Amino acid sequence: MTELPAEMDAAVLQGPGQIEVQAVPVPEVGDDGVLVAVDLCGICGSDLHMVLEGWARPGTWQGHEWVGRVVAVGPDAGRWQVGDAVVGGPSEPCGTCAGCRAHRPSLCSGRDDPGRNDNAGAFATYKRTRATELLALPAGLDPRAAALAEPLGIALHALHNGGVAAGQRVLVLGAGPIGALAIAAMRTMDVAEITCVEPNALRRELALAVGADRVLEPDDLVVPSIAEPSLVVEGAVDVVLECSGNRAAMEAGLAQLVRGGTMVLVGAGIDPPRFDPNRILLNELVITGAFNYDADGFEQALALLASGRLPVEALLEPGAVPLAGLLDAMRDLADGRLAGKVLVQP
């Protein structure tokens, strides 16, 4: 163990839209824990909800897309050693519930609701984690690229749940980080046509830069009336990935499917959609969700990032912001002034 300070900096939530960088105690490692010095942590769309909209509890700090270096290891923490370069991985599932037995850890009955657990995030100098919730940074992989592993794992899980395959036509609603990563990943899968619908001009440019064949604005979509439940629109797609969490986008997305098509709900939203049940019935449509990752989602993501096949620099905003700039970066993301993934350097 290296000598550690008693306190560290953390971006502590004070209330909706209020963050204060405070000195807080450095977490104790514990018997099975690992303490990591955080090098970089990405800002997730869920972080915007937690902070700007106050979904999380005051006194907590967010951040779950992180990379760093091990600085302390508990006696029961297994193979990790001080100095190891690591990537924050998924929370350890219970391993015994029906979801875990089906190799679907995203459905683990022991999981916490987002923003409601007591774990301190990685918008801080140090992050304590379980030894089982870390992955080694692959040799030669830039830490900036590795910071995309968590959101890429989510995108890959959405593609898996949607059954996306080579030769299909796919519509992505929303070109935020998950939508953009899904587009970039599909470009490596020989998907026949990728269309992205996005109201923000910067994000439309991003979608094209990472592999979309064409981009549309929401008003460009044709949505049949409720009196035409079986009508299939021109240019209908096999799969819709709804990555915005926007009610209108969800409702319009359902109408863009071929018969037997699938819509995957990936983006989180509070305003619930109203789906036409007759359209679902007559066209035998599937609506499913995608929460978190496949059982080997982080391994898949790191392998794809290490392959060099993704346009990493197009996906990332240049440089990194300090903790003191976190709230401004969140506001810029929420207001559409930034399009790519923003990395924070605590």
Side-chain angles (χ1 to χ4, degrees), residues 218 221-226 228 233 248 251-253 255-256 279:
L221 291 179
V222 175
V223 179
S225 73
I226 197 169
E228 305 172 292
V233 299
E251 294 171 348
Q256 309 309 309
R279 171 165 293 279

Side-chain angles (χ1 to χ4, degrees), residues 84-103:
D84 286 345
V86 292
V87 180
S91 298
E92 183 178 12
C94 75
T96 60
C97 71
C100 288
R101 293 197 305 271
H103 304 291

Side-chain angles (χ1 to χ4, degrees), residues 137-174:
L137 179 73
L141 181 59
D142 187 336
R144 285 176 57 81
L148 291 170
E150 195 275 348
L152 179 56
I154 289 176
L156 294 176
H157 184 53
L159 299 180
H160 176 236
N161 281 13
V164 174
Q168 289 185 326
R169 303 177 70 194
V170 179
L171 176 65
V172 178
L173 300 175

Side-chain angles (χ1 to χ4, degrees), residues 39-42 65 67 137 141-149 305 312-321 341-345:
D39 290 333
L40 295 166
C41 183
E65 304 175 358
V67 296
L137 179 73
L141 181 59
D142 187 336
R144 285 176 57 81
L148 291 170
L305 289 163
V312 169
E313 287 309 313
L315 290 160
L316 293 169
E317 290 292 324
V321 301
K341 173 66 66 177
V342 174
L343 298 180
V344 177
Q345 191 169 40

Side-chain angles (χ1 to χ4, degrees), residues 59-82:
T60 62
W61 51 96
Q62 306 305 305
H64 54 268
E65 304 175 358
W66 55 274
V67 296
R69 293 161 288 106
V70 174
V71 295
V73 181
D76 300 329
R79 66 187 180 93
W80 302 112
Q81 298 181 5
V82 171

Side-chain angles (χ1 to χ4, degrees), residues 19-332:
I19 284 179
E20 184 177 305
V21 178
Q22 296 179 348
V24 300
V26 171
E28 294 185 3
V29 179
D31 289 343
D32 66 344
V34 176
L35 189 67
V36 178
V38 179
D39 290 333
L40 295 166
C41 183
I43 300 176
C44 175
S46 64
D47 293 326
L48 304 185
H49 292 303
M50 300 298 173
V51 172
L52 300 182
E53 299 173 29
W55 289 14
R57 293 182 296 103
T60 62
W61 51 96
Q62 306 305 305
H64 54 268
E65 304 175 358
W66 55 274
V67 296
R69 293 161 288 106
V70 174
V71 295
V73 181
D76 300 329
R79 66 187 180 93
W80 302 112
Q81 298 181 5
V82 171
D84 286 345
V86 292
V87 180
S91 298
E92 183 178 12
C94 75
T96 60
C97 71
C100 288
R101 293 197 305 271
H103 304 291
R104 299 181 70 181
S106 60
L107 301 182
C108 177
S109 61
R111 75 188 189 197
D112 292 307
D113 288 333
R116 301 303 176 193
N117 58 48
D118 293 325
N119 293 334
F123 292 142
T125 311
Y126 296 101
K127 174 78 172 78
R128 183 205 179 276
T129 187
R130 294 175 178 171
T132 54
E133 297 175 354
L134 285 174
L135 294 95
L137 179 73
L141 181 59
D142 187 336
R144 285 176 57 81
L148 291 170
E150 195 275 348
L152 179 56
I154 289 176
L156 294 176
H157 184 53
L159 299 180
H160 176 236
N161 281 13
V164 174
Q168 289 185 326
R169 303 177 70 194
V170 179
L171 176 65
V172 178
L173 300 175
I178 303 300
L181 281 162
I183 291 168
M186 286 190 288
R187 198 73 285 160
T188 72
M189 297 169 55
D190 296 324
V191 171
E193 183 178 86
I194 305 168
T195 301
C196 180
V197 178
E198 168 58 55
N200 180 274
L202 285 177
R203 286 185 169 178
R204 289 196 298 273
E205 293 176 8
L206 174 62
L208 290 172
V210 300
D213 294 294
R214 61 175 185 151
V215 294
L216 304 173
E217 297 186 44
D219 289 344
D220 294 330
L221 291 179
V222 175
V223 179
S225 73
I226 197 169
E228 305 172 292
S230 65
L231 178 65
V232 176
V233 299
E234 184 178 354
V237 299
D238 301 289
V239 180
V240 170
L241 301 176
E242 204 304 295
C243 301
S244 73
N246 180 277
R247 170 182 172 172
M250 297 180 202
E251 294 171 348
L254 187 72
Q256 309 309 309
L257 290 168
V258 299
R259 293 195 172 107
T262 299
M263 181 162 73
V264 186
L265 302 180
V266 192
I270 292 297
D271 190 15
R274 297 180 63 185
F275 291 133
D276 178 2
N278 290 322
R279 171 165 293 279
I280 299 169
L281 183 155
L282 293 172
N283 296 313
E284 296 194 359
L285 304 179
V286 174
I287 302 174
T288 189
F291 177 73
N292 281 352
Y293 335 98
D294 292 342
D296 61 347
F298 272 76
E299 290 84 355
Q300 291 180 49
L302 288 170
L304 184 53
L305 289 163
S307 74
R309 300 171 68 195
L310 295 185
V312 169
E313 287 309 313
L315 290 160
L316 293 169
E317 290 292 324
V321 301
L323 289 180
L326 173 60
L327 187 57
D328 285 342
M330 286 183 166
R331 289 170 175 157
D332 286 342

